[in-house]
PDB file of all heavy atoms in Angstrom:
ATOM      1  N   THR A  62      -0.157   4.225   0.655  1.00 43.00           N
ATOM      2  CA  THR A  62      -0.655   5.310   1.496  1.00 43.00           C
ATOM      3  C   THR A  62       0.184   5.495   2.740  1.00 43.00           C
ATOM      4  O   THR A  62       0.185   6.537   3.344  1.00 43.00           O
ATOM      5  CB  THR A  62      -2.083   5.038   1.948  1.00 43.00           C
ATOM      6  OG1 THR A  62      -2.137   3.703   2.404  1.00 43.00           O
ATOM      7  CG2 THR A  62      -3.043   5.291   0.834  1.00 43.00           C
ATOM      8  N   TYR A  91      -2.230  20.309   6.248  1.00 92.00           N
ATOM      9  CA  TYR A  91      -3.444  21.116   6.459  1.00 92.00           C
ATOM     10  C   TYR A  91      -3.491  22.296   5.500  1.00 92.00           C
ATOM     11  O   TYR A  91      -4.535  22.665   4.998  1.00 92.00           O
ATOM     12  CB  TYR A  91      -3.534  21.570   7.922  1.00 92.00           C
ATOM     13  CG  TYR A  91      -3.646  20.402   8.864  1.00 92.00           C
ATOM     14  CD1 TYR A  91      -2.558  19.975   9.605  1.00 92.00           C
ATOM     15  CD2 TYR A  91      -4.844  19.688   8.970  1.00 92.00           C
ATOM     16  CE1 TYR A  91      -2.652  18.877  10.452  1.00 92.00           C
ATOM     17  CE2 TYR A  91      -4.952  18.590   9.797  1.00 92.00           C
ATOM     18  CZ  TYR A  91      -3.848  18.186  10.540  1.00 92.00           C
ATOM     19  OH  TYR A  91      -3.953  17.093  11.345  1.00 92.00           O
ATOM     20  N   TYR A 107     -22.387  24.408   3.207  1.00 89.00           N
ATOM     21  CA  TYR A 107     -23.440  25.367   3.512  1.00 89.00           C
ATOM     22  C   TYR A 107     -24.797  24.889   3.003  1.00 89.00           C
ATOM     23  O   TYR A 107     -25.773  24.883   3.749  1.00 89.00           O
ATOM     24  CB  TYR A 107     -23.064  26.746   2.951  1.00 89.00           C
ATOM     25  CG  TYR A 107     -24.131  27.794   3.125  1.00 89.00           C
ATOM     26  CD1 TYR A 107     -24.198  28.555   4.291  1.00 89.00           C
ATOM     27  CD2 TYR A 107     -25.071  28.027   2.132  1.00 89.00           C
ATOM     28  CE1 TYR A 107     -25.186  29.510   4.463  1.00 89.00           C
ATOM     29  CE2 TYR A 107     -26.065  28.974   2.289  1.00 89.00           C
ATOM     30  CZ  TYR A 107     -26.120  29.711   3.450  1.00 89.00           C
ATOM     31  OH  TYR A 107     -27.105  30.643   3.607  1.00 89.00           O
ATOM     32  N   GLN A 112     -30.082  22.761   4.036  1.00 86.00           N
ATOM     33  CA  GLN A 112     -31.049  21.714   3.721  1.00 86.00           C
ATOM     34  C   GLN A 112     -31.573  21.045   4.994  1.00 86.00           C
ATOM     35  O   GLN A 112     -32.774  20.802   5.133  1.00 86.00           O
ATOM     36  CB  GLN A 112     -30.340  20.681   2.848  1.00 86.00           C
ATOM     37  CG  GLN A 112     -31.232  19.923   1.926  1.00 86.00           C
ATOM     38  CD  GLN A 112     -31.559  20.730   0.689  1.00 86.00           C
ATOM     39  OE1 GLN A 112     -30.731  21.452   0.172  1.00 86.00           O
ATOM     40  NE2 GLN A 112     -32.771  20.633   0.236  1.00 86.00           N
ATOM     41  N   ILE A 201     -27.259  16.186 -22.530  1.00 88.00           N
ATOM     42  CA  ILE A 201     -28.344  16.864 -23.237  1.00 88.00           C
ATOM     43  C   ILE A 201     -28.403  16.423 -24.695  1.00 88.00           C
ATOM     44  O   ILE A 201     -29.478  16.108 -25.219  1.00 88.00           O
ATOM     45  CB  ILE A 201     -28.119  18.379 -23.239  1.00 88.00           C
ATOM     46  CG1 ILE A 201     -27.995  18.882 -21.836  1.00 88.00           C
ATOM     47  CG2 ILE A 201     -29.228  19.089 -23.976  1.00 88.00           C
ATOM     48  CD1 ILE A 201     -29.286  19.204 -21.229  1.00 88.00           C
ATOM     49  N   TRP A 209     -35.320  11.686 -30.507  1.00 90.00           N
ATOM     50  CA  TRP A 209     -35.510  11.662 -31.963  1.00 90.00           C
ATOM     51  C   TRP A 209     -35.543  10.212 -32.474  1.00 90.00           C
ATOM     52  O   TRP A 209     -36.374   9.843 -33.298  1.00 90.00           O
ATOM     53  CB  TRP A 209     -34.399  12.486 -32.616  1.00 90.00           C
ATOM     54  CG  TRP A 209     -34.226  12.459 -34.107  1.00 90.00           C
ATOM     55  CD1 TRP A 209     -33.035  12.351 -34.759  1.00 90.00           C
ATOM     56  CD2 TRP A 209     -35.206  12.585 -35.142  1.00 90.00           C
ATOM     57  NE1 TRP A 209     -33.230  12.390 -36.113  1.00 90.00           N
ATOM     58  CE2 TRP A 209     -34.557  12.534 -36.374  1.00 90.00           C
ATOM     59  CE3 TRP A 209     -36.591  12.728 -35.122  1.00 90.00           C
ATOM     60  CZ2 TRP A 209     -35.210  12.608 -37.599  1.00 90.00           C
ATOM     61  CZ3 TRP A 209     -37.267  12.806 -36.350  1.00 90.00           C
ATOM     62  CH2 TRP A 209     -36.582  12.741 -37.559  1.00 90.00           C
ATOM     63  N   ARG A 215     -41.617   9.477 -36.873  1.00 85.00           N
ATOM     64  CA  ARG A 215     -40.492   9.408 -37.804  1.00 85.00           C
ATOM     65  C   ARG A 215     -39.221   8.845 -37.170  1.00 85.00           C
ATOM     66  O   ARG A 215     -38.146   8.948 -37.733  1.00 85.00           O
ATOM     67  CB  ARG A 215     -40.213  10.808 -38.365  1.00 85.00           C
ATOM     68  CG  ARG A 215     -41.404  11.342 -39.144  1.00 85.00           C
ATOM     69  CD  ARG A 215     -41.195  12.718 -39.679  1.00 85.00           C
ATOM     70  NE  ARG A 215     -42.379  13.123 -40.430  1.00 85.00           N
ATOM     71  CZ  ARG A 215     -43.475  13.640 -39.869  1.00 85.00           C
ATOM     72  NH1 ARG A 215     -43.527  13.830 -38.552  1.00 85.00           N
ATOM     73  NH2 ARG A 215     -44.506  13.968 -40.603  1.00 85.00           N
ATOM     74  N   TRP A 253     -26.686   2.844 -22.085  1.00 97.00           N
ATOM     75  CA  TRP A 253     -25.877   3.206 -23.268  1.00 97.00           C
ATOM     76  C   TRP A 253     -24.779   4.200 -22.887  1.00 97.00           C
ATOM     77  O   TRP A 253     -23.634   4.092 -23.315  1.00 97.00           O
ATOM     78  CB  TRP A 253     -26.794   3.811 -24.341  1.00 97.00           C
ATOM     79  CG  TRP A 253     -26.083   4.255 -25.591  1.00 97.00           C
ATOM     80  CD1 TRP A 253     -25.660   3.458 -26.615  1.00 97.00           C
ATOM     81  CD2 TRP A 253     -25.715   5.593 -25.949  1.00 97.00           C
ATOM     82  NE1 TRP A 253     -25.051   4.220 -27.584  1.00 97.00           N
ATOM     83  CE2 TRP A 253     -25.077   5.529 -27.202  1.00 97.00           C
ATOM     84  CE3 TRP A 253     -25.870   6.844 -25.330  1.00 97.00           C
ATOM     85  CZ2 TRP A 253     -24.583   6.668 -27.856  1.00 97.00           C
ATOM     86  CZ3 TRP A 253     -25.379   7.966 -25.975  1.00 97.00           C
ATOM     87  CH2 TRP A 253     -24.756   7.872 -27.221  1.00 97.00           C
ATOM     88  N   PHE A 258     -17.806   3.663 -19.554  1.00 89.00           N
ATOM     89  CA  PHE A 258     -16.964   3.906 -18.375  1.00 89.00           C
ATOM     90  C   PHE A 258     -16.628   2.588 -17.681  1.00 89.00           C
ATOM     91  O   PHE A 258     -15.473   2.317 -17.342  1.00 89.00           O
ATOM     92  CB  PHE A 258     -17.683   4.874 -17.428  1.00 89.00           C
ATOM     93  CG  PHE A 258     -17.082   4.972 -16.057  1.00 89.00           C
ATOM     94  CD1 PHE A 258     -15.834   5.544 -15.881  1.00 89.00           C
ATOM     95  CD2 PHE A 258     -17.763   4.493 -14.948  1.00 89.00           C
ATOM     96  CE1 PHE A 258     -15.280   5.633 -14.619  1.00 89.00           C
ATOM     97  CE2 PHE A 258     -17.220   4.586 -13.685  1.00 89.00           C
ATOM     98  CZ  PHE A 258     -15.970   5.151 -13.517  1.00 89.00           C
ATOM     99  N   GLU A 276      -1.771 -18.563 -17.967  1.00 83.00           N
ATOM    100  CA  GLU A 276      -1.278 -19.628 -18.828  1.00 83.00           C
ATOM    101  C   GLU A 276      -0.897 -20.854 -17.992  1.00 83.00           C
ATOM    102  O   GLU A 276      -1.267 -21.981 -18.309  1.00 83.00           O
ATOM    103  CB  GLU A 276      -0.046 -19.103 -19.557  1.00 83.00           C
ATOM    104  CG  GLU A 276       0.071 -19.541 -20.989  1.00 83.00           C
ATOM    105  CD  GLU A 276       1.165 -18.749 -21.664  1.00 83.00           C
ATOM    106  OE1 GLU A 276       2.342 -19.011 -21.337  1.00 83.00           O
ATOM    107  OE2 GLU A 276       0.855 -17.870 -22.476  1.00 83.00           O
ATOM    108  N   ARG A 288     -10.539 -20.088 -13.665  1.00 85.00           N
ATOM    109  CA  ARG A 288      -9.553 -19.036 -13.911  1.00 85.00           C
ATOM    110  C   ARG A 288     -10.159 -17.658 -13.679  1.00 85.00           C
ATOM    111  O   ARG A 288      -9.539 -16.776 -13.113  1.00 85.00           O
ATOM    112  CB  ARG A 288      -8.993 -19.140 -15.336  1.00 85.00           C
ATOM    113  CG  ARG A 288      -7.806 -20.073 -15.437  1.00 85.00           C
ATOM    114  CD  ARG A 288      -7.325 -20.195 -16.854  1.00 85.00           C
ATOM    115  NE  ARG A 288      -8.265 -20.976 -17.645  1.00 85.00           N
ATOM    116  CZ  ARG A 288      -8.455 -20.816 -18.943  1.00 85.00           C
ATOM    117  NH1 ARG A 288      -7.803 -19.880 -19.593  1.00 85.00           N
ATOM    118  NH2 ARG A 288      -9.317 -21.569 -19.591  1.00 85.00           N
ATOM    119  N   ARG A 314     -29.823   9.157  -8.239  1.00 80.00           N
ATOM    120  CA  ARG A 314     -30.137  10.585  -8.261  1.00 80.00           C
ATOM    121  C   ARG A 314     -30.285  11.124  -9.672  1.00 80.00           C
ATOM    122  O   ARG A 314     -30.143  12.311  -9.914  1.00 80.00           O
ATOM    123  CB  ARG A 314     -29.071  11.367  -7.493  1.00 80.00           C
ATOM    124  CG  ARG A 314     -27.695  11.241  -8.103  1.00 80.00           C
ATOM    125  CD  ARG A 314     -26.672  11.839  -7.176  1.00 80.00           C
ATOM    126  NE  ARG A 314     -25.696  12.586  -7.938  1.00 80.00           N
ATOM    127  CZ  ARG A 314     -24.610  13.129  -7.408  1.00 80.00           C
ATOM    128  NH1 ARG A 314     -24.380  13.030  -6.129  1.00 80.00           N
ATOM    129  NH2 ARG A 314     -23.769  13.795  -8.148  1.00 80.00           N
ATOM    130  N   ASP A 324     -39.997  16.193 -20.737  1.00 82.00           N
ATOM    131  CA  ASP A 324     -40.224  17.315 -21.657  1.00 82.00           C
ATOM    132  C   ASP A 324     -40.923  16.828 -22.918  1.00 82.00           C
ATOM    133  O   ASP A 324     -41.742  17.522 -23.513  1.00 82.00           O
ATOM    134  CB  ASP A 324     -38.889  17.950 -22.088  1.00 82.00           C
ATOM    135  CG  ASP A 324     -38.389  18.956 -21.064  1.00 82.00           C
ATOM    136  OD1 ASP A 324     -39.083  19.154 -20.054  1.00 82.00           O
ATOM    137  OD2 ASP A 324     -37.306  19.533 -21.280  1.00 82.00           O
ATOM    138  N   GLU A 378      -8.048   2.608   5.101  1.00 67.00           N
ATOM    139  CA  GLU A 378      -7.262   3.825   5.298  1.00 67.00           C
ATOM    140  C   GLU A 378      -6.705   3.894   6.711  1.00 67.00           C
ATOM    141  O   GLU A 378      -5.672   4.498   6.943  1.00 67.00           O
ATOM    142  CB  GLU A 378      -8.127   5.072   5.039  1.00 67.00           C
ATOM    143  CG  GLU A 378      -8.576   5.219   3.607  1.00 67.00           C
ATOM    144  CD  GLU A 378      -7.421   5.482   2.656  1.00 67.00           C
ATOM    145  OE1 GLU A 378      -6.385   5.990   3.101  1.00 67.00           O
ATOM    146  OE2 GLU A 378      -7.569   5.155   1.470  1.00 67.00           O
TER     147      GLU A 378
ATOM    148  N   VAL S 190     -12.895 -24.915 -23.748  1.00 40.00           N
ATOM    149  CA  VAL S 190     -11.955 -23.808 -23.559  1.00 40.00           C
ATOM    150  C   VAL S 190     -10.582 -24.195 -24.075  1.00 40.00           C
ATOM    151  O   VAL S 190      -9.917 -23.435 -24.779  1.00 40.00           O
ATOM    152  CB  VAL S 190     -11.887 -23.424 -22.066  1.00 40.00           C
ATOM    153  CG1 VAL S 190     -10.672 -22.547 -21.810  1.00 40.00           C
ATOM    154  CG2 VAL S 190     -13.149 -22.732 -21.655  1.00 40.00           C
ATOM    155  N   ARG S 205       7.426 -19.460 -23.819  1.00 53.00           N
ATOM    156  CA  ARG S 205       6.214 -20.147 -24.262  1.00 53.00           C
ATOM    157  C   ARG S 205       5.652 -19.486 -25.510  1.00 53.00           C
ATOM    158  O   ARG S 205       5.536 -18.274 -25.573  1.00 53.00           O
ATOM    159  CB  ARG S 205       5.165 -20.102 -23.156  1.00 53.00           C
ATOM    160  CG  ARG S 205       5.536 -20.961 -21.975  1.00 53.00           C
ATOM    161  CD  ARG S 205       4.279 -21.290 -21.199  1.00 53.00           C
ATOM    162  NE  ARG S 205       4.620 -22.198 -20.100  1.00 53.00           N
ATOM    163  CZ  ARG S 205       4.775 -21.785 -18.852  1.00 53.00           C
ATOM    164  NH1 ARG S 205       4.624 -20.523 -18.561  1.00 53.00           N
ATOM    165  NH2 ARG S 205       5.065 -22.650 -17.906  1.00 53.00           N
ATOM    166  N   TRP S 231     -23.723   0.555 -30.941  1.00 96.00           N
ATOM    167  CA  TRP S 231     -23.381   1.563 -29.932  1.00 96.00           C
ATOM    168  C   TRP S 231     -23.141   2.942 -30.546  1.00 96.00           C
ATOM    169  O   TRP S 231     -23.480   3.965 -29.973  1.00 96.00           O
ATOM    170  CB  TRP S 231     -22.142   1.120 -29.137  1.00 96.00           C
ATOM    171  CG  TRP S 231     -22.356   1.333 -27.680  1.00 96.00           C
ATOM    172  CD1 TRP S 231     -22.097   2.471 -26.987  1.00 96.00           C
ATOM    173  CD2 TRP S 231     -22.939   0.409 -26.754  1.00 96.00           C
ATOM    174  NE1 TRP S 231     -22.477   2.316 -25.674  1.00 96.00           N
ATOM    175  CE2 TRP S 231     -22.994   1.060 -25.505  1.00 96.00           C
ATOM    176  CE3 TRP S 231     -23.412  -0.890 -26.845  1.00 96.00           C
ATOM    177  CZ2 TRP S 231     -23.505   0.451 -24.365  1.00 96.00           C
ATOM    178  CZ3 TRP S 231     -23.910  -1.491 -25.721  1.00 96.00           C
ATOM    179  CH2 TRP S 231     -23.957  -0.834 -24.500  1.00 96.00           C
ATOM    180  N   SER S 241     -28.699  13.212 -39.418  1.00 92.00           N
ATOM    181  CA  SER S 241     -29.915  14.030 -39.458  1.00 92.00           C
ATOM    182  C   SER S 241     -29.604  15.514 -39.558  1.00 92.00           C
ATOM    183  O   SER S 241     -30.368  16.282 -40.140  1.00 92.00           O
ATOM    184  CB  SER S 241     -30.756  13.800 -38.194  1.00 92.00           C
ATOM    185  OG  SER S 241     -30.996  12.442 -38.007  1.00 92.00           O
ATOM    186  N   GLU S 250     -39.021  14.995 -42.709  1.00 79.00           N
ATOM    187  CA  GLU S 250     -40.468  14.860 -42.502  1.00 79.00           C
ATOM    188  C   GLU S 250     -41.000  13.582 -43.137  1.00 79.00           C
ATOM    189  O   GLU S 250     -42.090  13.141 -42.823  1.00 79.00           O
ATOM    190  CB  GLU S 250     -41.195  16.052 -43.135  1.00 79.00           C
ATOM    191  CG  GLU S 250     -40.799  17.365 -42.505  1.00 79.00           C
ATOM    192  CD  GLU S 250     -41.872  17.913 -41.611  1.00 79.00           C
ATOM    193  OE1 GLU S 250     -42.952  18.233 -42.120  1.00 79.00           O
ATOM    194  OE2 GLU S 250     -41.623  17.992 -40.400  1.00 79.00           O
ATOM    195  N   ARG S 309      -3.587  13.860  11.336  1.00 89.00           N
ATOM    196  CA  ARG S 309      -4.853  13.658  12.022  1.00 89.00           C
ATOM    197  C   ARG S 309      -5.984  14.201  11.150  1.00 89.00           C
ATOM    198  O   ARG S 309      -5.886  15.310  10.631  1.00 89.00           O
ATOM    199  CB  ARG S 309      -4.827  14.410  13.357  1.00 89.00           C
ATOM    200  CG  ARG S 309      -5.878  13.995  14.338  1.00 89.00           C
ATOM    201  CD  ARG S 309      -5.815  14.860  15.569  1.00 89.00           C
ATOM    202  NE  ARG S 309      -4.616  14.584  16.363  1.00 89.00           N
ATOM    203  CZ  ARG S 309      -4.583  13.697  17.363  1.00 89.00           C
ATOM    204  NH1 ARG S 309      -5.674  13.040  17.673  1.00 89.00           N
ATOM    205  NH2 ARG S 309      -3.492  13.493  18.032  1.00 89.00           N
ATOM    206  N   ARG S 311      -6.934  12.685   8.360  1.00 90.00           N
ATOM    207  CA  ARG S 311      -6.733  12.244   6.985  1.00 90.00           C
ATOM    208  C   ARG S 311      -7.858  11.311   6.526  1.00 90.00           C
ATOM    209  O   ARG S 311      -8.449  11.506   5.455  1.00 90.00           O
ATOM    210  CB  ARG S 311      -5.386  11.532   6.886  1.00 90.00           C
ATOM    211  CG  ARG S 311      -5.077  10.996   5.515  1.00 90.00           C
ATOM    212  CD  ARG S 311      -3.667  10.407   5.469  1.00 90.00           C
ATOM    213  NE  ARG S 311      -3.559   9.558   4.296  1.00 90.00           N
ATOM    214  CZ  ARG S 311      -3.942   8.295   4.285  1.00 90.00           C
ATOM    215  NH1 ARG S 311      -4.451   7.746   5.372  1.00 90.00           N
ATOM    216  NH2 ARG S 311      -3.842   7.577   3.184  1.00 90.00           N
ATOM    217  N   GLN S 322     -19.572  13.118  -2.953  1.00 73.00           N
ATOM    218  CA  GLN S 322     -20.001  12.728  -4.293  1.00 73.00           C
ATOM    219  C   GLN S 322     -21.362  12.058  -4.287  1.00 73.00           C
ATOM    220  O   GLN S 322     -21.970  11.857  -5.323  1.00 73.00           O
ATOM    221  CB  GLN S 322     -18.983  11.771  -4.892  1.00 73.00           C
ATOM    222  CG  GLN S 322     -17.667  12.431  -5.131  1.00 73.00           C
ATOM    223  CD  GLN S 322     -16.620  11.420  -5.486  1.00 73.00           C
ATOM    224  OE1 GLN S 322     -16.735  10.765  -6.496  1.00 73.00           O
ATOM    225  NE2 GLN S 322     -15.614  11.284  -4.649  1.00 73.00           N
ATOM    226  N   LEU S 324     -23.924  13.158  -2.407  1.00 69.00           N
ATOM    227  CA  LEU S 324     -25.001  14.084  -2.086  1.00 69.00           C
ATOM    228  C   LEU S 324     -25.938  14.194  -3.276  1.00 69.00           C
ATOM    229  O   LEU S 324     -25.496  14.407  -4.398  1.00 69.00           O
ATOM    230  CB  LEU S 324     -24.425  15.472  -1.763  1.00 69.00           C
ATOM    231  CG  LEU S 324     -23.609  15.580  -0.496  1.00 69.00           C
ATOM    232  CD1 LEU S 324     -23.075  16.998  -0.335  1.00 69.00           C
ATOM    233  CD2 LEU S 324     -24.443  15.206   0.709  1.00 69.00           C
ATOM    234  N   GLY S 328     -31.409  17.676  -4.503  1.00 64.00           N
ATOM    235  CA  GLY S 328     -31.850  18.163  -3.201  1.00 64.00           C
ATOM    236  C   GLY S 328     -31.115  19.432  -2.820  1.00 64.00           C
ATOM    237  O   GLY S 328     -31.623  20.265  -2.085  1.00 64.00           O
ATOM    238  N   ARG S 366      -5.014  11.183  -6.614  1.00 86.00           N
ATOM    239  CA  ARG S 366      -4.336  10.439  -5.561  1.00 86.00           C
ATOM    240  C   ARG S 366      -3.808   9.119  -6.117  1.00 86.00           C
ATOM    241  O   ARG S 366      -2.764   8.639  -5.699  1.00 86.00           O
ATOM    242  CB  ARG S 366      -5.275  10.247  -4.379  1.00 86.00           C
ATOM    243  CG  ARG S 366      -5.772   8.866  -4.147  1.00 86.00           C
ATOM    244  CD  ARG S 366      -6.935   8.912  -3.201  1.00 86.00           C
ATOM    245  NE  ARG S 366      -6.576   8.269  -1.958  1.00 86.00           N
ATOM    246  CZ  ARG S 366      -7.026   7.069  -1.601  1.00 86.00           C
ATOM    247  NH1 ARG S 366      -7.831   6.400  -2.387  1.00 86.00           N
ATOM    248  NH2 ARG S 366      -6.692   6.545  -0.444  1.00 86.00           N
ATOM    249  N   PHE S 418     -25.630  20.327 -16.606  1.00 87.00           N
ATOM    250  CA  PHE S 418     -26.922  20.874 -17.001  1.00 87.00           C
ATOM    251  C   PHE S 418     -27.747  21.357 -15.815  1.00 87.00           C
ATOM    252  O   PHE S 418     -28.238  22.484 -15.815  1.00 87.00           O
ATOM    253  CB  PHE S 418     -27.695  19.801 -17.789  1.00 87.00           C
ATOM    254  CG  PHE S 418     -29.155  20.082 -17.966  1.00 87.00           C
ATOM    255  CD1 PHE S 418     -29.581  21.092 -18.820  1.00 87.00           C
ATOM    256  CD2 PHE S 418     -30.097  19.351 -17.267  1.00 87.00           C
ATOM    257  CE1 PHE S 418     -30.930  21.349 -18.978  1.00 87.00           C
ATOM    258  CE2 PHE S 418     -31.449  19.609 -17.425  1.00 87.00           C
ATOM    259  CZ  PHE S 418     -31.862  20.614 -18.280  1.00 87.00           C
ATOM    260  N   ARG S 436     -31.032  23.088 -24.800  1.00 84.00           N
ATOM    261  CA  ARG S 436     -32.372  22.752 -24.327  1.00 84.00           C
ATOM    262  C   ARG S 436     -33.376  23.816 -24.735  1.00 84.00           C
ATOM    263  O   ARG S 436     -34.482  23.513 -25.154  1.00 84.00           O
ATOM    264  CB  ARG S 436     -32.384  22.582 -22.813  1.00 84.00           C
ATOM    265  CG  ARG S 436     -33.655  21.921 -22.357  1.00 84.00           C
ATOM    266  CD  ARG S 436     -34.053  22.316 -20.957  1.00 84.00           C
ATOM    267  NE  ARG S 436     -35.212  21.538 -20.515  1.00 84.00           N
ATOM    268  CZ  ARG S 436     -35.928  21.841 -19.458  1.00 84.00           C
ATOM    269  NH1 ARG S 436     -35.595  22.882 -18.728  1.00 84.00           N
ATOM    270  NH2 ARG S 436     -36.970  21.116 -19.121  1.00 84.00           N
ATOM    271  N   LEU S 478      -8.470   6.529 -13.408  1.00 59.00           N
ATOM    272  CA  LEU S 478      -9.620   6.066 -12.636  1.00 59.00           C
ATOM    273  C   LEU S 478      -9.318   4.731 -11.987  1.00 59.00           C
ATOM    274  O   LEU S 478      -9.611   4.505 -10.822  1.00 59.00           O
ATOM    275  CB  LEU S 478     -10.839   5.917 -13.556  1.00 59.00           C
ATOM    276  CG  LEU S 478     -11.404   7.195 -14.131  1.00 59.00           C
ATOM    277  CD1 LEU S 478     -12.500   6.888 -15.124  1.00 59.00           C
ATOM    278  CD2 LEU S 478     -11.952   8.058 -13.016  1.00 59.00           C
ATOM    279  N   GLY S 485      -3.991   2.126  -3.073  1.00 38.00           N
ATOM    280  CA  GLY S 485      -4.557   2.733  -1.853  1.00 38.00           C
ATOM    281  C   GLY S 485      -4.445   4.195  -1.958  1.00 38.00           C
ATOM    282  O   GLY S 485      -4.124   4.888  -1.077  1.00 38.00           O
TER     283      GLY S 485
END
Side-chain angles (χ1 to χ4, degrees):
Chain A
T62 47
Y91 298 103
Y107 176 87
Q112 207 80 37
I201 303 273
W209 171 224
R215 298 178 179 83
W253 179 79
F258 167 68
E276 219 169 72
R288 273 178 288 150
R314 62 189 221 186
D324 277 359
E378 294 294 336
Chain S
V190 165
R205 290 202 176 100
W231 225 272
S241 307
E250 298 254 296
R309 197 184 290 268
R311 178 175 163 275
Q322 294 170 63
L324 292 178
R366 110 195 247 254
F418 165 71
R436 194 208 186 194
L478 293 174

